[in-house]
């Protein structure tokens, strides 16, 4: 069996990656974490508000009371938790330069951007969330960030494009 100098434990060749993580990737991971914290805070406050509206339901079965309090939630309220969890997982994927993290993060930002624009045009602007989403998209589109997830270094990318 041929051994590669740059291979994993099974002998499969590894794709070359930059030796250090680009600064933009770290910024994206931090923005995803901040966005996740904002979403958790908003979801938690919404849940507390709904529960307080139904404060008369405080009986021995708290879970049933909570279920009754959340029956008025919209699809967006229910999707906050999974999107928040996925944002936190993607932050880790970005920090570890997982190959699919870039595409998944861009897709998540597209969903967030659509949601924020919908809110904006319906008179409920969430300016901080919108700015975080736009900053994340900006950093995702930087060339050194894109190259980090392509598995090539900037020098090899230039050499492969020349005739």
């Amino acid at each position: 069996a041929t051994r590669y100098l740059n291979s994993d434990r099974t002998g499969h060749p590894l794709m070359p990656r930059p030796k250090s993580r680009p600064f933009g990737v770290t910024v994206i991971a931090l923005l995803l974490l901040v966005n996740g914290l904002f979403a958790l805070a908003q979801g938690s406050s919404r849940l507390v508000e709904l529960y307080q509206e139904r404060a008369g339901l405080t009986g021995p079965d708290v879970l049933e009371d909570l279920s009754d309090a959340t029956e008025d939630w919209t699809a967006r309220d229910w999707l906050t938790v999974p999107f928040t969890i996925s944002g936190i997982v993607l932050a880790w994927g970005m920090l570890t330069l997982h190959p699919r993290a870039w595409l998944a993060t861009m897709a998540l930002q597209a969903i967030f951007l659509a949601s924020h624009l919908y809110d904006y045009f319906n008179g409920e602007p969430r300016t901080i969330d919108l700015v975080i989403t736009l900053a994340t998209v900006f950093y995702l589109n930087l060339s050194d960030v894109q190259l980090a997830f392509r598995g090539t270094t900037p020098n090899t990318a230039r050499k492969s494009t020349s005739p």
Side-chain angles (χ1 to χ4, degrees), residues 41-120:
Q42 288 173 348
S44 298
S45 67
R46 176 84 170 123
L47 184 61
V48 167
E49 287 171 9
L50 284 172
Y51 192 75
Q52 287 175 347
E53 285 176 12
R54 308 218 179 195
L57 298 174
T58 56
D61 192 4
V62 175
L63 290 178
E64 186 178 312
D65 293 347
L66 193 57
S67 174
D68 291 340
T70 58
E71 70 186 16
D72 294 334
W73 273 21
T74 63
R76 178 178 199 208
D77 294 328
W78 285 108
L79 291 174
T80 297
V81 173
F83 283 150
T84 299
I85 292 170
S86 64
I88 292 169
V89 169
L90 287 173
W92 178 254
M94 294 297 286
L95 286 174
T96 59
L97 297 176
H98 190 278
R100 292 182 187 98
W102 186 92
L103 180 62
T105 302
M106 187 62 87
L108 184 65
Q109 297 313 302
I111 293 168
F112 286 162
L113 186 59
S115 172
H116 299 323
L117 289 174
Y118 177 81
D119 288 344
Y120 179 80

